Each structure stands twice: as C-alpha cells, then as structure tokens.
Amino acid sequence: MKKVASILLLPCLLIVGCSSKKLDQKTVAEIIKKELGYPKILDYDIYCSDPKHAYKMLDAGLGKDGLVVIQQKQKLIEVGKPLISFTEKAKPYLLATSKKDKSIEIQKVKLADVDVAEIITTKDGEDGKTAIVEFTTAYKNISPFARLVNVDFKMPKKHTIYLSLYDNQWHIEKKTD
C-alpha cells in the first residue's frame, strides 16, 4: 500500500513543484520585453513648417552634416510650406509617419534604439505573489537627430516595476521611472 501511495504522490509533487513561478533575471527580462515592448525605437516629431524647428535643426548642425536642407527665407506666398526637407543621407533615420501627421508636415525621426540593459534587483513580496524590480535601459544606435533633444544618451536610465502573479503568470502592475 505504501508503494502505491508513493507512486501516486510523486507525480503530484512534481506538478506542484513545477508550477511554482520563481522569478529569476531571465524571467524578469522576458516579462519586461514582452509587456513593455523592448527593444523599441525612441522617436521625435519634426514640424517641417515650423520656423522654431528649422532653427533648432540649424543649431544642431544637421544642415551642415547633409541630413536636411533648410529654407532660410520664404516668400509671403510660401508661408506654411515646409522649411525643412530631408536628404538621402537622412533616410535611414526617417520613420513611418501617419497620413494625418504628413498632412500637417510632421516627420517622425529615429533618435535611438532603447533596450533593457540590466536587471539590478528583484525583491519578492512576502506573499510570493508580488515583486518589485529595478532595471536599467540603455540607448543604442544613436542617430544624429539625437542632438535635437536634451537627453544624455550615454547614461542608462533606471526604472522600477511592480509585478503581480495571477492566472499563473507574472504581470506588470505599475511602472515608474
């Protein structure tokens, strides 16, 4: 009888043991990438008819680098027409732009790729069904258009997420930066 009980008990223990959802760095990285969509592209909207954007492009040296052509003077009849046009050299950094944005002369450009760099800490909650995770993201493939924003692309950015275990899977409940 003991032999039969132990044979029946063994599969039950294996099932219970295998259903435990232990959080390790690999699992956390997979959750972050799946639910937050990493790696992703950091983009920027350029208002091609806006004189402020044209000056910003000039100040960033994008005209000198051959990425854009900026019309510095406009006739009265040309007001509202694009001041900024993009060269062949800029094409690798131009992103798909909606019809609505195109109709008002907006062009999306790539600033950089953003990806998970490191899982710093994982603190499990007392109940075993919650966790707090700190991780960093890093910028890669930084484009010349990154000069348009005031961001230090060399420094990783720290994030905190709160995880909950339900439906036998870990899910992100909240993200803070």
Side-chain angles (χ1 to χ4, degrees):
M1 185 69 173
K2 285 183 180 181
K3 194 174 189 179
V4 171
S6 64
I7 290 174
L8 292 174
L9 188 59
L10 183 63
C12 292
L13 289 173
L14 286 173
I15 291 170
V16 170
C18 292
S19 67
S20 167
K21 290 286 187 174
K22 181 77 174 129
L23 271 178
D24 57 20
Q25 287 199 352
K26 182 182 176 189
T27 304
V28 170
E30 288 172 1
I31 293 166
I32 292 169
K33 287 183 179 209
K34 178 183 173 192
E35 292 200 22
L36 298 179
Y38 287 102
K40 53 183 156 185
I41 295 173
L42 180 64
D43 64 12
Y44 183 74
D45 290 347
I46 295 177
Y47 294 79
C48 298
S49 298
D50 186 349
K52 289 181 184 176
H53 275 253
Y55 285 121
K56 200 172 189 178
M57 304 275 271
L58 281 171
D59 290 343
L62 297 172
K64 288 180 185 176
D65 291 349
L67 294 162
V68 295
V69 175
I70 299 168
Q71 185 180 4
Q72 295 186 27
K73 294 182 181 181
Q74 265 190 340
K75 297 177 184 171
L76 192 56
I77 197 166
E78 297 173 328
V79 172
K81 300 280 185 199
L83 296 168
I84 302 165
S85 58
F86 298 90
T87 65
E88 280 294 315
K89 194 173 178 182
K91 283 197 176 179
Y93 311 111
L94 302 180
L95 300 175
T97 305
S98 70
K99 287 182 182 181
K100 180 184 173 193
D101 284 350
K102 283 182 183 180
S103 71
I104 54 174
E105 305 297 340
I106 295 174
Q107 174 62 57
K108 286 192 177 304
V109 294
K110 175 182 174 179
L111 298 180
D113 293 322
V114 185
D115 203 358
V116 176
E118 177 185 15
I119 307 298
I120 301 169
T121 61
T122 302
K123 296 178 187 172
D124 294 323
E126 291 179 15
D127 60 359
K129 294 186 177 191
T130 59
I132 300 172
V133 176
E134 290 182 338
F135 68 99
T136 59
T137 53
Y139 300 101
K140 301 174 183 175
N141 304 319
I142 300 165
S143 83
F145 289 98
R147 291 180 259 166
L148 296 171
V149 296
N150 191 19
V151 174
D152 185 358
F153 287 96
K154 294 178 183 162
M155 292 296 297
K157 188 173 180 182
K158 189 175 178 181
H159 308 273
T160 303
I161 56 171
Y162 298 86
L163 300 174
S164 293
L165 180 63
Y166 58 89
D167 296 336
N168 206 26
Q169 290 187 347
W170 287 99
H171 300 276
I172 296 174
E173 293 299 319
K174 183 179 172 186
K175 178 185 179 230
T176 61
D177 287 334

